[in-house]
Amino acid sequence: MRIGLIGCGEIARRGHLPALRVLKDFQVVALADQDKDRVQRVATEFGIAKTYTSARELVEDKTVEAVVATVPPQAYKDIVSLAASHRKPILLEKPLANTVADAQAIVKQVKESGIKAGVVQNYRYYAALGDIRDRISIGRIGKPVSVHLLLHQHSPLSWSLSPWRFEGPRGVLDDIGVHAFDSLLWLTKAEPESVFAFGVKGLPGANFLNQVSTMIKFQGGLISFIDLSWLTGPMSFRVNALGTGGRIFSDILFNQVHEQHGHPLPTSDLALLTQKLLFILKGIVNGDLFTGALKYYQYLYPDFLSYVKNENVDFPGVETALKTVKIMDAVAHSLTIGSTVHL
């Protein structure tokens, strides 16, 4: 698949382009960015011949079979419209949109054109997250009663100076909040019913949210609590699930999942410690211990190709991403009015 990539920021340089460079079924044939110097610099770094300074020029390039967009979400509606008019599949870096209206407009464009449009959700590729999903699906903990998801991470300013996350008031919601809410929907396969949230800006002079805690009630009675924060150093990603027949607790980053029925045994702690040490040693040997979810782009792209070929129905499309946008919008509204928002 010949790819044209729009947006040459850090997520393109550190996630998309390194993955595409090693995948034999993909070739990046063109780059586009409004910053002429940057697009030339990145093209040289990755050995890409064609460069453009507009999305339109790239999409109209006949050698481009599929489009990848890694720009701020405010631009996605126009870019999807271009891809749709040229009947080219498109992959969008998360989030799909900043507003429900824009997300709905994108979904409408995709449906009317018939193109395939996916959204990056690389956190789904954490092995521990998939393990928890499988255990819940086959009923290992009975009927799920509650799920607690904690995702803490340092501010993206530590690796990207792109200002769009900080120009609006939602801050952390538009960054790791997208991953958290998508992971929750993917894990539970449940439909959200209502949302209540509270949050803090947390830093002097900050006009955006750094900490958000959200409670979501799902149809069927499941309750979930999501804790998001930029006010931390090392990243932490944990999911704990309680059901009528047991519970699961985990450390997603270290691939630790423990299922508990009845009283815990001392040997359980030893087994978890051993598992964590082995994971760390493997990460050191492979050299990917500190790359985080960036390493999953090389798994995401083959699935996107299968999705375009109608071989993979589980890949997150724009309709799935719309559900996440609706939750984020409800969270922001709940923070504004200080009460529950019904979806």
Side-chain angles (χ1 to χ4, degrees):
M1 176 181 278
R2 296 190 300 274
I3 298 290
L5 186 143
I6 302 168
C8 295
E10 286 303 299
I11 195 61
R13 288 188 59 253
R14 296 174 61 171
H16 292 266
L17 291 171
L20 289 165
R21 182 162 54 183
V22 300
L23 293 169
K24 62 181 179 63
D25 291 329
F26 296 86
Q27 179 189 6
V28 181
V29 296
L31 296 177
D33 195 284
Q34 292 178 335
D35 186 325
K36 186 176 181 179
D37 291 337
R38 179 165 60 185
V39 71
Q40 292 288 354
R41 186 169 61 251
V42 175
T44 300
E45 180 181 357
F46 288 92
I48 299 162
K50 294 184 183 180
T51 60
Y52 300 105
T53 53
S54 76
R56 179 176 294 279
E57 291 175 295
L58 181 140
V59 174
E60 290 177 348
D61 185 329
K62 289 182 169 52
T63 66
V64 171
E65 294 179 319
V67 178
V68 175
T70 67
V71 296
Q74 298 92 319
Y76 283 162
K77 188 168 64 170
D78 291 338
I79 292 174
V80 171
S81 178
L82 283 171
S85 66
H86 289 78
R87 298 294 187 271
K88 294 184 179 182
I90 185 167
L91 178 65
L92 303 169
E93 184 57 59
K94 61 84 183 169
L96 173 64
N98 290 122
T99 67
V100 173
D102 278 358
Q104 289 172 330
I106 291 171
V107 170
K108 185 173 184 288
Q109 290 171 342
V110 169
K111 282 184 175 180
E112 290 178 349
S113 67
I115 66 167
K116 288 289 187 177
V119 179
V120 171
Q121 291 295 352
N122 51 320
Y123 278 37
R124 292 188 181 192
Y125 291 86
Y126 278 112
L129 206 61
D131 186 3
I132 296 170
R133 185 176 190 248
D134 291 342
R135 291 176 191 238
I136 292 175
S137 295
I138 64 175
R140 289 290 303 172
I141 59 169
K143 180 183 178 181
V145 175
S146 69
V147 177
H148 182 187
L149 188 153
L150 178 146
L151 182 53
H152 291 177
Q153 186 171 300
H154 47 72
S155 164
L157 277 176
S158 62
W159 69 286
S160 173
L161 296 178
S162 178
W164 70 266
R165 298 178 186 87
F166 315 104
E167 291 174 340
R170 300 188 348 173
V172 70
L173 271 181
D174 285 333
D175 185 35
I176 57 175
V178 186
H179 290 303
F181 296 126
D182 176 78
S183 296
L184 181 65
L185 294 177
W186 188 65
L187 280 175
T188 63
K189 304 178 186 179
E191 291 295 324
E193 190 174 89
S194 61
V195 168
F196 179 78
F198 49 96
V200 294
K201 294 179 180 177
L203 294 173
N207 293 317
F208 49 84
L209 290 164
N210 281 284
Q211 169 82 36
V212 178
S213 297
T214 304
M215 183 174 288
I216 302 177
K217 181 181 179 182
F218 290 86
Q219 293 176 15
L222 174 68
I223 299 293
S224 180
F225 185 82
I226 304 95
D227 192 61
L228 306 170
S229 183
W230 275 343
L231 302 174
T232 183
M235 182 178 177
S236 182
F237 188 13
R238 300 175 184 272
V239 176
N240 296 335
L242 175 67
T244 56
R247 73 178 181 125
I248 294 169
F249 57 94
S250 68
D251 187 333
I252 302 299
L253 299 183
F254 291 98
N255 196 30
Q256 290 188 286
V257 178
H258 183 65
E259 189 177 309
Q260 190 176 90
H261 304 270
H263 294 289
L265 298 173
T267 52
S268 299
D269 292 334
L270 180 60
L272 286 172
L273 178 60
T274 303
Q275 185 183 19
K276 185 172 184 177
L277 290 173
L278 289 173
F279 181 86
I280 292 172
L281 287 172
K282 182 180 178 182
I284 292 172
V285 171
N286 294 339
D288 63 0
L289 181 62
F290 300 108
T291 57
L294 290 174
K295 61 176 171 282
Y296 297 127
Y297 281 85
Q298 62 182 302
Y299 305 122
L300 180 152
Y301 269 100
D303 283 350
F304 175 64
L305 181 59
S306 295
Y307 173 68
V308 171
K309 294 179 176 179
N310 293 313
E311 297 171 352
N312 185 340
V313 296
D314 194 37
F315 194 85
V318 293
E319 291 189 63
T320 300
L322 172 59
K323 294 181 180 180
T324 304
V325 175
K326 286 181 176 179
I327 291 178
M328 290 166 56
D329 187 73
V331 170
H333 188 43
S334 176
L335 289 166
T336 300
I337 65 176
S339 63
T340 301
V341 173
H342 296 276
L343 295 161

